[in-house]
Amino acid sequence: MKINIYYGGRGLIDDPTLFVINKMQAVLEELHVTIERFNLHELKNTITTLPQTLKSADGVILATTVEWFGIGGYMQQFLDACWLYADKEKLSKIYMCPIVMATTYGEREGKLNLSTAWEILGGLPCSGICGYIEDTSILENSDEYLRLIEKKAENMYRTISQKVASLPASNQAVKQKVYITKNTTLTPQESEQLSVYASDDAYVQKQKEDITELASMFRNMMGVSSSDNDTDLIDRFEKAFRPQPGLEATYVFRIDGNNSPLSISVEGSDLKCLYKDNSDADVELQLTKEKLKDIFAANTTFQRAFMAGDMKMKGDFMALRLLDTIFDFN
């Protein structure tokens, strides 16, 4: 038999929940139960992958501490991950014992919330423990409380080993009627793999960039015009160009919706405009097409757009100020 313990507290030394699960773990190990513990506060960046650990479990202990209100964010994240990524068929055979200790009001509600959540997920209930413990020494110095904890551990072992049945709960009926997770053709194994990807911030960011690139590519394939191939912007800059003797500067305009940036190079009376990137540019600007049109219409200037936060820049501020001198759209 294997039981997983998921601890959703903050790991404080005087956390009464830690005392309870340590005692229960000792009792279960005496009964030759394999125990694996997961401290959610140490695994907060990979919580979405933890539903995979349920595959080999016969039972779980969900333990958390009510410090001010509710079961806490780590435990809620774990339950959310189970709702999204867990193998529901496997989960439906797993017994769960809730343990909620409180240093403030709310231990009964916390225990009820864990039990309700597990039943909605389709799991099987076990009798749990909840209590208001102001000081951990209260548990340590009470033989009655220690026997109560031991009895709960033994009852859990008995419930799992005998596969004790429970009457149907309305929570599961509600799940069948209002199950809001989108139906997919993913297998449980694919859902678990998805949970790994969801916890990888670098992977998620790369996917967003790929989606943006694909959207632009398909827009072009469908014949939607793209200003990348539009010479109108270049014509506007060339017509507004006012040469400044001795001035040399390069600018890169990253315009939202364009696949390629517009690179502008100024060398005295020479102006070169073309669609390409330039990592050595003196100034890199990012703005929308609408804001650029406002500048072309002389409704605003590059300097005012930057000061108003409508345009982002990095590089040489002096070169940025010269933009309104080099290009006169009035």
Side-chain angles (χ1 to χ4, degrees):
M1 181 188 300
K2 183 183 179 186
I3 294 177
N4 290 352
I5 299 176
Y6 299 90
Y7 168 65
R10 292 189 296 146
L12 301 178
I13 295 176
D14 58 347
D15 188 342
T17 304
L18 283 175
F19 178 85
V20 174
I21 59 179
N22 287 338
K23 185 64 178 175
M24 289 192 69
Q25 180 173 344
V27 173
L28 291 168
E29 286 176 344
E30 288 178 3
L31 296 169
H32 306 292
V33 175
T34 301
I35 300 292
E36 187 171 5
R37 189 186 304 192
F38 301 89
N39 295 323
L40 302 184
H41 65 281
E42 297 174 352
L43 303 168
K44 55 188 175 183
N45 293 327
T46 56
I47 286 179
T48 54
T49 66
L50 292 182
Q52 299 179 43
T53 61
L54 295 170
K55 291 188 297 184
S56 59
D58 300 297
V60 299
I61 293 174
L62 299 185
T64 190
T65 307
V66 178
E67 294 186 52
W68 76 281
F69 184 79
I71 61 175
Y74 296 138
M75 184 58 70
Q76 187 63 56
Q77 279 185 264
F78 172 69
L79 292 171
D80 287 346
C82 290
W83 176 256
L84 293 171
Y85 305 118
D87 182 344
K88 301 299 191 302
E89 183 178 350
K90 173 61 181 173
L91 195 146
S92 66
K93 301 173 183 177
I94 300 176
Y95 290 86
M96 189 278 292
C97 173
I99 298 176
V100 180
M101 296 290 111
T103 56
T104 184
Y105 175 82
E107 73 283 355
R108 293 184 184 276
E109 289 79 359
K111 176 188 169 189
L112 178 60
N113 287 343
L114 289 180
S115 298
T116 301
W118 195 254
E119 289 181 343
I120 291 177
L121 287 168
L124 301 169
C126 280
S127 176
I129 306 174
C130 68
Y132 168 72
I133 305 296
E134 190 174 3
D135 190 336
T136 308
S137 61
I138 297 174
L139 291 172
E140 296 173 347
N141 299 325
S142 173
D143 292 336
E144 290 182 353
Y145 292 160
L146 292 175
R147 279 197 297 272
L148 176 63
I149 296 170
E150 291 173 359
K151 284 291 183 185
K152 288 294 182 181
E154 292 169 0
N155 287 340
M156 182 180 186
Y157 173 81
R158 216 172 279 115
T159 299
I160 297 174
S161 61
Q162 297 177 5
K163 299 189 183 302
V164 175
S166 60
L167 292 171
S170 60
N171 295 330
Q172 296 186 5
V174 169
K175 172 197 166 187
Q176 295 169 0
K177 294 183 184 207
V178 297
Y179 189 55
I180 61 172
T181 300
K182 299 294 184 184
N183 290 327
T184 68
T185 57
L186 297 178
T187 65
Q189 292 76 20
E190 289 170 333
S191 292
E192 290 168 359
Q193 188 62 45
L194 179 61
S195 71
V196 176
Y197 293 143
S199 67
D200 188 339
D201 292 337
Y203 177 84
V204 172
Q205 183 60 35
K206 182 66 169 61
Q207 291 301 299
K208 289 180 180 179
E209 293 173 358
D210 289 347
I211 289 171
T212 301
E213 184 178 345
L214 285 171
S216 299
M217 183 183 71
F218 282 117
R219 184 175 62 246
N220 293 336
M221 290 173 63
M222 293 173 66
V224 179
S225 63
S226 171
S227 54
D228 287 359
N229 303 316
D230 189 356
T231 60
D232 181 57
L233 293 183
I234 295 177
D235 291 340
R236 291 291 192 96
F237 278 106
E238 289 179 343
K239 290 177 181 178
F241 180 53
R242 301 293 180 267
Q244 303 296 312
L247 173 63
E248 293 185 5
T250 53
Y251 302 87
V252 169
F253 288 83
R254 300 191 186 280
I255 304 165
D256 293 352
N258 281 22
N259 292 334
S260 301
L262 176 62
S263 178
I264 295 178
S265 176
V266 178
E267 294 183 15
S269 60
D270 293 332
L271 174 69
K272 295 180 181 178
C273 301
L274 64 159
Y275 285 105
K276 73 167 189 176
D277 206 345
N278 184 355
S279 59
D280 297 325
D282 298 310
V283 180
E284 185 176 313
L285 305 163
Q286 183 174 353
L287 71 169
T288 63
K289 293 179 183 177
E290 291 71 20
K291 186 51 60 178
L292 190 56
K293 288 178 181 177
D294 283 345
I295 296 173
F296 288 160
N299 294 328
T300 187
T301 64
F302 289 108
Q303 184 70 20
R304 275 186 293 215
F306 171 69
M307 297 299 291
D310 297 323
M311 181 177 72
K312 298 178 182 178
M313 73 82 64
K314 63 179 180 179
D316 188 342
F317 280 97
M318 181 64 73
L320 171 65
R321 286 198 292 269
L322 288 172
L323 259 179
D324 293 315
T325 304
I326 301 170
F327 300 103
D328 184 1
F329 297 102
N330 290 312

